[in-house]
Amino acid sequence: MTEQLASFSLVAIYSAMAVYLFAFIAFTLDLAKRSAETPVAVTAVPAARVGQLASAGGTATLERPAAPAAPTIQRRSGRFERVAYALTILGWLLHVAGTVLRGVAAHRVPWANMFEFSLTASAIIVGVFIVVQLWQDLRFLGAYITGFALIVLGFGTVGFYVSVVPLPPALQSYWLVIHVFVATLGTAFFAIGAGLSLVQLIQSRREANRFAGLKFLDTVPGSVALENLAYRVIVVGFVFWTFTLMAGAIWAEHAWGRYWGWDTKEVWTFIIWTIFAGYIHARATRGWRGSRSAWLAIIGFSAVMFNFTIVNLFFKGLHAYSGLMS
Amino acid sequence: MSRPSDHIDSPAPRPRGDDVAQPRLGPIGYLRFFWRQLTSMRTALFLLLLLAIAAVPGSLFPQRSSDPNGVTLYFSTNKALAPVLDKLQLFDVYTSAWFSAIYLLLFISLIGCVIPRTIFHLKALASAPPRTPARLDRLGAFRAFEVASDQSDSAGAPITAASATEAARAMLRGSGYRVRLFDGPASSGGGTLSVSAERGYLRETGNLVFHIALIGILLSVGIGGGFGYTGQKVLVTGQAFANVRLTYDSFNPGRFFTDSALVPYRLILNKFSAKYEEQNRNAYGQPIDYTANVTTYDAAGAATKDVIKVNDPLRIGGNEIYLLGNGYAPSITVRDPNGKVVFSESVPFLAQDANLTSIGIVKIPDGLSTQVGMRGFFYPTAAKNEAGTFSSTHPDLRNPMLSLVLYTGDLGINQGAPKSVYSLDSDKMTEVAGPGAASRTGALRLTPGQTAQIPGGLGSITFDNKAPKSDAADLEKSVPRFASFDVHRDPTQGWVLFFAICVLLGLLTSLFIPRRRVWVKVIEQEDGRLRLEYAGLARGEDPGLDAAVAEIAERHSQRLGLKLTS
């Protein structure tokens, strides 16, 4: 039963990867198409648009802000973009199904070794990306997110695959559910923040007229708007990461008898926390806004990836739960 | 910590011309200068990033605190490099002078920033919102309405400047704003009334709580490390342990530790059971549960039965007792040629792999005609592999076998120098049984209950079967288990948790509660119409400011019975 469910799970994951691949292609085509179109940049609502306030028989005029708002970009989402986004949702549903099946097969949460962690982490990253669209249109990051999920799933299935095995005693704790899940959630926000910072860096170079190519950048927000978006996303990630650090310390106290022992994974979690703390402070430091803080966000996310891959596989420590034989 | 939000976008200082005569700084001037530098935001950011970089080497090199064996191994494999790295404190990164210097400077910088900001914030908490600016339309978020003269609100009362202002005041106060009314300056048509309101003081409070709690964590950790201790104890099933310093196998007291901190209690390991996976072929033999059943006795002698598991420590007498490791402790009895017992103990063997192939050392300094040392391998399920050597294929006792290499000569412990019970210095000894023995006798191989003679007629060795009455084929209880426990006392652990929770709460409020000032101004115009102006000013990150001002304008007009119809 377990093995059958695990193989169903794998089939779902492979299907999700195929769908993500098409989504990635469609998102890329969309970016290419964006370069071709000339966007209609509209200077916001004309100053002093007048409306009517009516009360008991009389009227009042409404005066709109005279300050020129930043030009907003009005564009209809292209066909490729809509197809790509639909494919992303479809792929994500398959992805979640595969991940849940894996958990059902193992009778526990599907994030106890590196293979399962790559399934869950990429599912949450794509999930957060989908949910974030309700708040802000960040579909221009679609190629980045689906490409990233594809790479993670590729490494996960090819490099890290392990059969379903029971939890070793050290992992038998409800903190596994809380600590790892929140860490993954934080990772998802950091991933989107890093993507925004990356576009911000390219955009600010373009705004400085360093290069005229990459016309699709006309269809995404300006570098300052991107920086603000990145900040708002990363701040959420930082809160989750702080919680991860604390939950991990509490769990370590239960399992290993000390809440902090500078184990390699603890060290890297601390380093990442410090980098993002630096990122938040950089926004309030003269000379550190803009590109420098964007670099910090990218370095921070790289450290997260380093922590997940290199530290798990090659560094010696107590968090040796990759499930892979060295 | 970040500067007050008003400081963020202050213009960069103008470049100084060469003609500016700089004043000479006296010693106090220099102190002041360095203090300013240290507590500046740039320095804090620099130190923060430096701290991140400085933490990296601790993950690249084995650390004495977390991996002492790794350090020993590093020294033996990198003989030339290791002493140099050691001089640079790269094996003790987190207690090193340079790492400490960075975080201490960072925290001094933090304190230097927190104190003035706390004072500033306390003053702000005590003061009312500032005067309404003359021109609200210059602010980022701005809305304005004009209400025709002689309008009446939904209750039928006429809308006047006073009633509109009062409505705004009540509304803003209801939304958690601190409000203050201002009268004037008079406009051409009549009076001007305004409400100045501010909210989100909690943002700065949270920010200060976050940073103060970080200092609290640092202090608690430091104090806890000074007064606490950790100790390790290996117990074979049936053995007891009393909370006295001497009974620990190893004991690491903090700097200010005194023996009076040891609360008297006693603990007996009644039973240790390990469960291994039997069903899942992919995980066959993988541990799924370790349980230690213990009985504890408090100072009065009252007994309590308890269970210690890996994620479930026992809390007793201010201590936490953790189950960290386990293994087999084969019972070995050595007799002299006359049959007199000179050694009889269950010796903990340290596990080397997942199937509990274990290594142990036995030293017999007295009782035989010469000192004898044994280096043993224990295999719970012994299997001979192709090369002719043995390994264990399952962690349970299915085919237990003990293999001993014997040495005679000088154990090197007569001088009184302390020696680890887990290592044997055989340089000055002669191998009498084992692959290197002159007699070419191999290592002694014993199954539970078997006895072998020590070459040279020195005596005999018995591998005791602890459950001799059970069926000969059932060896499951023939070799006792041991469990290793870590005993901790950290008097400030609760404080660390308290401050950590403060950090999280402070972070949440400082990041997500917007601090904003809002003004509502009512201007009486010449033609008798009322002009309503709404404006907001963000203090810090506040992406929702414009929407908030729009909402205030909307709600205010509703309250006055006005409705937008266009």
Side-chain angles (χ1 to χ4, degrees), chain B residues 62 269 330:
Chain B
L269 175 62

Side-chain angles (χ1 to χ4, degrees), chain A residues 2-3 49-67 135 162-175 228 231-232 234-244 246 249-268 270-289 292 296 306 311 315-318 325, chain B residues 1-3 7-13 41-42 45 48-49 51-53 55-56 58-60 63 65-67 69-70 94 99 137 139-140 142-148 151-153 159 203 210-211 214 220-221 277 280-283 286-290 309-313 315 320 322-324 486 488 490 492-493 496-497 500-501 503-504 507-508 511-512 529 531 541 543-544 546 557 560-566:
Chain A
T2 294
E3 284 178 13
R49 193 187 76 180
V50 171
Q52 299 277 309
L53 265 182
S55 78
T59 55
T61 47
L62 160 69
E63 197 181 305
R64 276 288 179 143
W135 164 69
V162 286
S163 312
V164 173
V165 297
L167 283 181
L171 285 185
Q172 292 168 14
S173 167
Y174 54 91
W175 286 107
N228 289 335
Y231 176 80
R232 290 163 74 182
I234 288 174
V235 156
V236 176
F238 184 71
V239 171
F240 286 133
W241 199 259
T242 309
F243 183 81
T244 304
M246 285 170 46
I250 296 171
W251 187 9
E253 198 274 328
H254 280 276
W256 300 324
R258 82 288 182 291
Y259 52 82
W260 195 262
W262 296 108
D263 175 59
T264 46
K265 199 88 184 193
E266 290 170 350
V267 170
W268 275 92
F270 170 77
I271 291 172
I272 291 160
W273 190 84
T274 313
I275 294 174
F276 281 107
Y279 168 83
I280 289 173
H281 285 82
R283 294 249 317 164
T285 308
R286 183 181 299 134
W288 277 82
R289 283 203 151 202
R292 279 199 196 178
L296 277 181
F306 184 83
V311 174
F315 284 33
K316 199 179 153 192
L318 290 167
M325 298 294 164
Chain B
M1 76 190 281
S2 55
R3 289 277 171 207
H7 287 242
I8 292 178
D9 279 320
S10 57
M41 189 69 192
R42 270 159 184 272
L45 181 60
L48 196 59
L49 296 178
L51 189 68
I53 295 168
V56 174
S59 69
L60 300 177
Q63 297 297 299
S65 57
S66 56
D67 184 16
N69 295 331
Y94 306 106
F99 191 80
D137 55 340
L139 295 167
F142 176 73
R143 295 281 187 288
F145 299 123
E146 297 217 328
V147 184
Q151 297 287 306
S152 47
D153 61 21
I159 297 177
R203 182 186 183 91
F210 173 81
H211 288 91
L214 283 181
S220 312
V221 169
E277 177 65 39
N280 184 338
R281 280 189 298 131
N282 292 318
Q286 187 186 303
I288 46 177
D289 184 54
Y290 297 128
K309 289 167 92 91
V310 174
N311 263 306
D312 189 10
R315 297 183 201 269
E320 285 89 43
Y322 300 91
L323 174 62
L324 283 201
D486 258 37
H488 289 219
D490 187 344
T492 58
Q493 193 159 284
V496 176
L497 182 64
I501 291 169
V503 162
L504 196 65
L507 186 67
L508 282 170
L511 289 178
F512 298 116
R529 299 204 302 171
R531 182 178 163 83
E541 301 285 343
D546 195 57
S557 56
L560 292 174
L562 300 167
K563 208 174 156 201
L564 184 68
T565 54
S566 79

Side-chain angles (χ1 to χ4, degrees), chain B residues 226-229 243 248 251 256-265 316-319 488-489 491:
Chain B
F227 286 98
Y229 61 84
N243 192 24
Y248 284 97
F251 192 79
F256 311 114
F257 169 82
T258 53
D259 278 8
S260 60
L262 292 170
V263 177
Y265 64 84
I316 177 174
N319 284 157
H488 289 219
R489 181 178 146 77

Side-chain angles (χ1 to χ4, degrees), chain B residues 213-236:
Chain B
L214 283 181
I215 300 170
I217 288 182
L218 187 74
L219 288 179
S220 312
V221 169
I223 294 169
F227 286 98
Y229 61 84
T230 63
Q232 286 76 39
K233 180 67 185 171
V234 168
L235 289 180
V236 179

Side-chain angles (χ1 to χ4, degrees), chain A residues 55-319:
Chain A
S55 78
T59 55
T61 47
L62 160 69
E63 197 181 305
R64 276 288 179 143
T72 49
I73 292 145
Q74 290 197 335
R75 61 181 293 277
R76 283 192 49 224
S77 58
R79 189 191 309 152
F80 283 124
E81 187 186 276
R82 275 177 279 141
V83 168
Y85 189 59
L87 283 174
T88 308
I89 292 176
L90 176 66
W92 184 68
L93 292 175
L94 285 166
H95 189 165
V96 169
T99 311
V100 169
L101 273 177
R102 173 78 186 192
V104 173
H107 302 292
R108 55 169 162 74
V109 288
W111 51 79
N113 54 50
M114 265 185 92
F115 166 67
E116 292 169 359
F117 192 78
S118 29
L119 297 193
T120 308
S122 50
I124 289 177
I125 289 172
V126 177
V128 169
F129 169 73
I130 290 172
V131 170
V132 157
Q133 306 307 319
L134 303 175
W135 164 69
Q136 272 306 311
D137 181 4
L138 300 181
R139 285 177 201 158
F140 57 90
L141 286 180
Y144 162 79
I145 293 291
T146 48
F148 183 77
L150 260 181
I151 292 173
V152 172
L153 286 177
F155 271 107
T157 47
V158 174
F160 307 147
Y161 184 78
V162 286
S163 312
V164 173
V165 297
L167 283 181
L171 285 185
Q172 292 168 14
S173 167
Y174 54 91
W175 286 107
L176 172 73
V177 182
I178 304 167
H179 169 65
V180 183
F181 183 77
V182 177
T184 322
L185 216 50
T187 305
F189 281 90
F190 287 154
I192 293 175
L196 287 167
S197 298
L198 202 66
V199 182
Q200 177 203 335
L201 277 179
I202 304 170
Q203 185 75 295
S204 71
R205 297 208 161 191
R206 198 177 133 79
E207 282 167 2
N209 275 327
R210 299 271 187 85
F211 47 79
L214 299 179
K215 272 196 168 169
F216 72 91
L217 287 172
D218 284 340
T219 63
V220 306
S223 65
V224 174
L226 283 170
E227 186 184 346
N228 289 335
L229 285 176
Y231 176 80
R232 290 163 74 182
V233 169
I234 288 174
V235 156
V236 176
F238 184 71
V239 171
F240 286 133
W241 199 259
T242 309
F243 183 81
T244 304
L245 201 77
M246 285 170 46
I250 296 171
W251 187 9
E253 198 274 328
H254 280 276
W256 300 324
R258 82 288 182 291
Y259 52 82
W260 195 262
W262 296 108
D263 175 59
T264 46
K265 199 88 184 193
E266 290 170 350
V267 170
W268 275 92
T269 306
F270 170 77
I271 291 172
I272 291 160
W273 190 84
T274 313
I275 294 174
F276 281 107
Y279 168 83
I280 289 173
H281 285 82
R283 294 249 317 164
T285 308
R286 183 181 299 134
W288 277 82
R289 283 203 151 202
S291 296
R292 279 199 196 178
S293 66
W295 275 114
L296 277 181
I298 293 167
I299 291 170
F301 182 60
S302 314
V304 174
M305 285 295 101
F306 184 83
N307 193 16
F308 172 58
T309 52
I310 309 291
V311 174
N312 273 9
L313 293 173
F314 301 109
F315 284 33
K316 199 179 153 192
L318 290 167
H319 286 77

Side-chain angles (χ1 to χ4, degrees), chain B residues 129 132 136 143 145 147 153 159-182 192-199 517-523 530-535 548-549 551-562:
Chain B
T132 311
L136 290 179
R143 295 281 187 288
F145 299 123
V147 184
D153 61 21
I159 297 177
T160 61
S163 73
T165 319
E166 177 50 35
R169 196 191 66 86
M171 187 188 84
L172 286 168
R173 169 163 277 179
S175 325
Y177 281 85
R178 197 175 279 204
V179 292
R180 190 175 167 196
L181 286 177
F182 286 98
T192 298
L193 287 174
S194 63
V195 184
S196 171
E198 181 159 359
R199 58 153 289 167
R517 286 184 181 155
V518 168
W519 293 277
V520 178
K521 199 188 258 187
V522 186
I523 306 162
L530 288 180
R531 182 178 163 83
L532 305 180
E533 292 187 342
Y534 307 86
V549 170
E551 197 217 329
I552 286 169
E554 174 86 26
R555 277 174 48 212
H556 187 228
S557 56
Q558 275 173 10
R559 214 178 164 108
L560 292 174
L562 300 167

